[in-house]
Amino acid sequence: MVFAPGEKPGNEPEEAKLQNASKQIVQHAIRQAVRQVSQESRQRQESTSDTRGTFQRGVGELTKKHEKK
């Protein structure tokens, strides 16, 4: 391993701790981002299906009115 000026050769366990902490932070951030995207996607689908349901009901009503004439 190559050491930077002023770095001591005995710091490997400390470096491993920092790397593990960094990995945990990144994993947490990724999980949180995935959770947020999933939630937003679900909300978008719900609002889209609500809109479609309203539109489809409206179309059905128009068709029934047309048939009565």
Side-chain angles (χ1 to χ4, degrees), residues 21-64:
S22 178
K23 285 179 186 178
Q24 288 177 352
I25 291 169
V26 170
Q27 287 174 346
H28 177 73
I30 290 171
R31 281 191 208 108
Q32 191 173 3
V34 167
R35 203 174 299 127
Q36 182 178 348
V37 169
S38 296
Q39 183 180 9
E40 290 173 358
S41 177
R42 230 179 289 118
Q43 289 173 345
R44 208 173 298 122
Q45 286 177 344
E46 287 173 1
S47 71
T48 302
S49 66
D50 288 346
T51 304
R52 281 191 203 139
T54 303
F55 180 71
Q56 288 173 348
R57 279 192 298 260
V59 169
E61 290 171 8
L62 288 175
T63 304
K64 288 177 187 174

Side-chain angles (χ1 to χ4, degrees), residues 4-8 11:
E7 189 177 357
K8 297 180 183 178
N11 284 343

Side-chain angles (χ1 to χ4, degrees), residues 1 3 7-22:
M1 174 178 241
F3 297 98
E7 189 177 357
K8 297 180 183 178
N11 284 343
E12 288 184 37
E14 188 67 27
E15 186 177 326
K17 287 180 187 177
L18 290 173
Q19 286 179 345
N20 285 335
S22 178

